[in-house]
Every structure is written in structure tokens, then in C-alpha cells.
Amino acid sequence: MRGNEVSERLRGIVASLNTPFAADEALDERGIAALCEECATAGCAGVLVPAVAGEVGSLTTAERRRLLALVAEHGAGRLQLVAGVSATGLDASLALAREAFVSRPAMVLWQAPSSLGAAELADSVGRLAEAAGAAVMVQDLDWQGSGLSVAAIAEAARREPALAAVKVEVVPAGPKYTALREAAPHLHLSGGWAATQMLDGLVRGLDAFVPTGMLAAYVRVFDLFAAGERDAARTLFERMLPVLAFTNQHIDVSIRFWKRWRHLRGVFATDRCRAPVAPLDAVQEAEAAVMLARASAVEEAVAGRGGSNSFGRQQ
């Protein structure tokens, strides 16, 4: 898919999936199916798997293959699949892209080293696209910095049409959304880790947002904003913010929180995480209990089960 087609088919919320594990840390295959159902019911446009939220560094190649196959099966016809192929070194990513080919993803996601120039970025994307038989979403991830050069991304996209999308996760994210939209208007742009600045991203013209939990609420915020009902979008988003402020203090907190939330809701058999995801300390545990209840209340309100629903018309 080229950028304009990606923007149409992946417009809205693309869920970055947690990986559910059984008590023995094997893949929880029933949980994967239930998670896909949750995403489809919430109205997500697609799913991203595996990625950082899915503890991808702890997964074997065989587990990644099985996870992709299950998500492709259960999301078929309902959810666009973005297959994560990031790894240490391009050769490893190319091998994963070839593995992903059989799942027929809409795109593959590749975390590009921040040091890459335009020529290297274009060449790497072209090779990945050929291996996967799909367009490429570049993950511009830098937890504490500005990531890839805007000029390098724009030039690489000009050289290589398979570079169809960029997932921006840098600090600060907002100005980079704007700079990329101006430098390469055809690219599909999405945000993820800057969850607390979602409305800022929507004002700047993001095509998609890539969160992990409260998916129905995220979908409603996106849809309300797109429909011009910005006050209603803000009202709902402000109810979500305390949860996001807690979960986004660190990626490990986010992973543990959303897995526990899905375990409590009966989606996952356990809330088990693999090393090296850090445990919550006693203070975080107490706050998590409060925020778990808040997240559930927000989702119930969006679904019309939580009393007065002031978040705009039902979708």
C-alpha cells in the first residue's frame, strides 16, 4: 500500500497488542483470540503485533510467528494487521519480514536506528518491503530525544515508495508531527507513547493513534474529533487522562497495568509478564487499583453502561 491508501485503511485507532501468557509463560492462545475480539468490538481500524507493548524482546521467533498467525486469523476481515519486524540488526529484521509474509500484513513496522541517513533508510525500507510483500511503517522511537531527522525521512520517502507510514514516538512528539506533515504530506502519520498529548496530535493531523488499553474510549475520542465534536472529545479524553498519567510513567508500568486490566475483565487468563518487565512497588500497586477502576468506568460510560453518557452520539 502507498501512503494515501494506508491513510484510508488505517485511519483511527490501531491497537498495540499486549501478549497474553499462561501461568507457565506459554502463549495464551485463547487470550489472543479474545483480545482480537475486543479490538474489533471497540471499533479499532487495525492492530500492531508484536511490538514493545507485547514484550517483543522476550518472544522467540517461533512465538512471534504463532502470534502473528493467530492475530491474522482472528482479525481477518475486521482488523488491518501491522506486523512488527524490529530486531537487533537489519538482517534479523529481514528474516522476520520474510516470516511475516505468510500472514499477509497490511504493513510491517520497523524501528529504524535514529542515526540513519536518507539513503540508508530508503535502502533498508525497500529491502524490508520486498521481503514482507508489504509497505513499511517506520517506527521513529527515541524515549528521550528527537529521533530520525525529518529531512532524512522525507527524502527516504521520496526515494522509496514503500515507506508509507511513520509512527512518531519522540520527545517532544507534537512539533515533529507537524514537521513531517509539512515535509512529506503523503505519509501516514501515527502517534503512540505520547498518549497524554493525543488531542494535540489530532489537531496536527495524525491519521492514527496507537494505544494499548481503553480502546473503545480512544476510538470514541478519535471519532468525535473527526466529526467536529471537539468539546465532547475533550470531555471524554479528560476523563481518561488520570489513567494515562499513571500508565505512561514507564513502559513497564503500562504493560503490567493493561495486562492486569484485561485479566480482571476476563480477556486474559493471567496478568503474567516476562522478565525484564519490572514489578510495581507497593505505592504503584495501590494507585493501580484506583486507576483500574477508573479505566473500567470510562469504558462502561462509552458503552452506555455507566449512567449519563456525555460523550457524543453512539457510534
Side-chain angles (χ1 to χ4, degrees):
M1 290 192 293
R2 293 181 181 271
N4 56 356
E5 186 180 351
V6 169
S7 296
E8 289 300 318
R9 292 172 61 182
L10 274 177
R11 183 165 182 79
I13 299 303
V14 179
S16 184
L17 302 187
N18 291 135
T19 302
F21 299 121
D24 63 358
E25 294 197 359
L27 292 181
D28 171 15
E29 296 197 359
R30 292 181 64 183
I32 293 166
L35 180 55
C36 290
E37 186 63 34
E38 176 190 305
C39 294
T41 300
C44 292
V47 290
L48 166 61
V49 62
V52 178
E55 299 167 75
V56 63
S58 75
L59 302 176
T60 66
T61 299
E63 286 174 329
R64 290 177 73 142
R65 183 188 308 120
R66 182 60 178 158
L67 183 58
L68 268 178
L70 287 167
V71 172
E73 175 188 349
H74 294 293
R78 301 187 295 171
L79 298 164
Q80 296 291 313
L81 173 61
V82 180
V85 298
S86 299
T88 303
L90 181 60
D91 287 344
S93 289
L94 287 167
L96 290 168
R98 286 188 284 270
E99 291 275 357
F101 178 86
V102 299
S103 296
R104 294 293 189 268
M107 282 194 294
V108 294
L109 175 89
W110 175 61
Q111 183 181 337
S114 297
S115 59
L116 286 188
E120 292 176 292
L121 182 59
D123 179 69
S124 299
V125 166
R127 295 174 65 188
L128 287 162
E130 183 178 3
V136 176
M137 175 185 284
V138 166
Q139 184 178 20
D140 183 18
L141 175 62
D142 188 339
W143 296 111
Q144 298 178 334
S146 58
L148 290 158
S149 157
V150 170
I153 294 172
E155 176 60 18
R158 186 188 69 79
R159 296 185 183 202
E160 178 49 71
L163 202 175
V166 181
K167 181 173 184 256
V168 178
E169 295 180 293
V170 301
V171 180
K176 193 159 191 181
Y177 301 148
T178 296
L180 280 171
R181 179 61 75 214
E182 293 174 352
H186 67 287
L187 284 177
H188 177 281
L189 297 182
S190 60
W193 186 242
T196 55
Q197 297 102 54
M198 180 186 181
L199 292 183
D200 174 273
L202 294 180
V203 170
R204 294 173 187 271
L206 285 182
D207 298 294
F209 212 76
V210 191
T212 297
M214 287 194 295
L215 298 175
Y218 271 111
V219 168
R220 181 65 61 80
V221 169
F222 193 99
D223 288 349
L224 287 169
F225 191 94
E229 299 182 43
R230 296 192 175 187
D231 288 343
R234 184 172 296 277
T235 297
L236 172 53
F237 189 66
E238 287 174 355
R239 283 197 63 181
M240 298 165 64
L241 274 173
V243 179
L244 303 181
F246 176 75
T247 60
N248 278 51
Q249 61 188 287
H250 191 276
I251 186 62
D252 288 358
V253 175
S254 177
I255 292 169
R256 285 202 175 271
F257 182 90
W258 294 119
K259 293 186 89 166
R260 184 170 302 177
W261 189 65
R262 290 192 165 99
H263 174 51
L264 292 171
R265 289 159 63 91
V267 178
F268 290 173
T270 77
D271 62 358
R272 185 174 292 275
C273 299
R274 287 181 177 173
V277 176
L280 304 181
D281 69 13
V283 175
Q284 289 172 323
E285 287 284 359
E287 186 66 9
V290 175
M291 291 300 127
L292 286 163
R294 182 182 286 265
S296 293
V298 170
E299 287 282 276
E300 289 169 4
V302 168
R305 298 192 299 269
S308 177
N309 180 5
S310 59
F311 307 134
R313 60 181 179 272
Q314 295 289 327
Q315 301 297 316

